[in-house]
């Protein structure tokens, strides 16, 4: 009877330990939460994990698929540049960053990176050249620094037992919206891409930006009145300063 009780006790102790080991994430990111305050000017995320020995690694951060309403510009009558039509892009993340180890093949970087996004984005427009519009959209997001192919570095530690640890540093831009972002890691060996793991990062406003966002979305009327008062006072102060500088000049 004592032996049975001893075995049951050992099983009860080992099961939680095994469950804890199984829940250990394959990919970890630090920090797991991004606080967007008044002084926020971008942040570096550190992503760590294990990859098969000899494999190259790519790590990417992407926002949830979103819809973008934009204007297509062109020449009216071949002379004036103006908005000609509306274009809607769906399935595109607000932010897309990828970092890769030095030996990652260019074809894999294209497939996992920004060029591969073209297969996930759809364009609704009167123009028949949907592929061209998507290409221009990707270029625009690159210029805005919201999409970036080389957004950081990936380095490796010493190999052990057929694996080697990797550390990636992703440079997250200052123009970041609140929300959830996926961090994914991939191993590439022999032309085969294998997912190593995925985790999430959340971004949220804190401090003054949080107060302004709360006022704007939850107390719109009061926020509008306050904004008008601030604009009037600011104009009055600037007017006084300008008039004082003119009188001083005479």
């Amino acid at each position: 009877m004592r032996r049975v009780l001893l075995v049951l006790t050992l099983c009860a102790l080992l099961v939680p330990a095994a469950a804890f080991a199984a829940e250990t994430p394959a990919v970890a990111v630090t920090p797991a939460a991004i606080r967007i305050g008044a002084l926020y000017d971008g942040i570096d995320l550190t992503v760590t994990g294990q990859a098969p020995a000899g494999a190259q690694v790519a790590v990417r951060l992407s926002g949830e698929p979103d819809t973008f309403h934009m204007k297509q510009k062109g020449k009216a009558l071949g002379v004036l540049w103006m908005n000609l039509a509306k274009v809607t892009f769906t399935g595109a993340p607000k932010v897309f960053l990828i970092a890769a180890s030095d030996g990652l093949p260019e074809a894999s970087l294209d497939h996992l990176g920004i060029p591969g996004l073209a297969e996930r984005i759809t364009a609704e427009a009167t123009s028949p050249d949907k592929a061209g519009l998507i290409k221009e959209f990707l270029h625009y997001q690159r210029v805005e620094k919201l999409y970036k192919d080389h957004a950081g570095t990936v380095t490796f530690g010493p190999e052990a037992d057929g694996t080697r640890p990797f550390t990636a540093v992703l440079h997250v831009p200052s123009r970041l919206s609140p929300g959830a972002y996926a961090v994914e890691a991939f191993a590439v060996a022999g032309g085969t891409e294998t997912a190593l793991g995925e985790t999430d990062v959340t971004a949220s406003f804190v401090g003054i930006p949080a107060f302004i966002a709360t006022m704007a979305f939850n107390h719109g009327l009061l926020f509008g009145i306050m904004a008008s008062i601030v604009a009037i006072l600011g104009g009055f102060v600037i007017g006084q300063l300008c008039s004082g500088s003119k009188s001083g000049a005479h």
Side-chain angles (χ1 to χ4, degrees):
M1 185 65 180
R2 290 182 179 178
R3 290 182 179 179
V4 174
L5 290 175
L6 180 60
V7 171
L8 291 176
T9 302
L10 290 175
C11 289
L13 292 173
L14 291 175
V15 168
F20 176 79
E23 293 175 358
T24 302
V27 175
V29 59
T30 304
I34 301 175
R35 297 164 60 87
I36 306 174
L39 301 179
Y40 174 77
D41 190 30
I43 192 173
D44 286 349
L45 293 180
T46 301
V47 184
T48 57
Q50 294 284 336
Q56 300 300 319
V57 170
V59 176
R60 69 186 185 191
L61 177 143
S62 59
E64 296 179 352
D66 205 349
T67 300
F68 294 79
H69 301 284
M70 308 182 79
K71 302 287 187 180
Q72 181 181 1
K73 292 185 178 294
K75 283 188 176 182
L77 303 176
V79 180
L80 299 176
W81 282 95
M82 58 186 300
N83 296 326
L84 298 180
K86 296 180 179 179
V87 184
T88 300
F89 298 96
T90 57
K94 289 184 178 179
V95 174
F96 187 88
L97 312 172
I98 185 169
S101 53
D102 292 338
L104 188 79
E106 196 68 26
S108 294
L109 182 60
D110 288 344
H111 181 252
L112 296 172
I114 297 175
L117 278 179
E119 302 174 1
R120 297 156 48 184
I121 300 173
T122 58
E124 298 178 14
T126 56
S127 172
D129 186 15
K130 302 295 192 299
L133 291 175
I134 293 174
K135 183 178 179 181
E136 288 298 321
F137 172 78
L138 295 177
H139 174 71
Y140 174 80
Q141 294 295 83
R142 276 192 175 108
V143 172
E144 293 295 308
K145 298 181 180 179
L146 297 175
Y147 288 9
K148 198 168 183 179
D149 270 324
H150 302 281
T153 59
V154 178
T155 56
F156 296 101
E159 296 182 7
D161 299 326
T163 64
R164 59 177 176 174
F166 68 85
T167 300
V169 178
L170 284 171
H171 306 305
V172 180
S174 57
R175 290 181 56 190
L176 188 69
S177 301
Y181 296 84
V183 177
E184 305 166 280
F186 299 87
V188 180
T192 302
E193 299 164 2
T194 305
L196 296 176
E198 178 180 346
T199 188
D200 292 329
V201 171
T202 57
S204 59
F205 286 138
V206 297
I208 295 176
F211 172 77
I212 294 175
T214 301
M215 291 294 294
F217 289 103
N218 299 334
H219 308 282
L221 178 60
L222 180 59
F223 179 77
I225 295 173
M226 291 175 59
S228 300
I229 293 174
V230 170
I232 293 171
L233 292 176
F236 176 76
V237 171
I238 293 175
Q240 291 297 313
L241 292 175
C242 292
S243 62
S245 62
K246 288 181 181 179
S247 60
H250 290 290

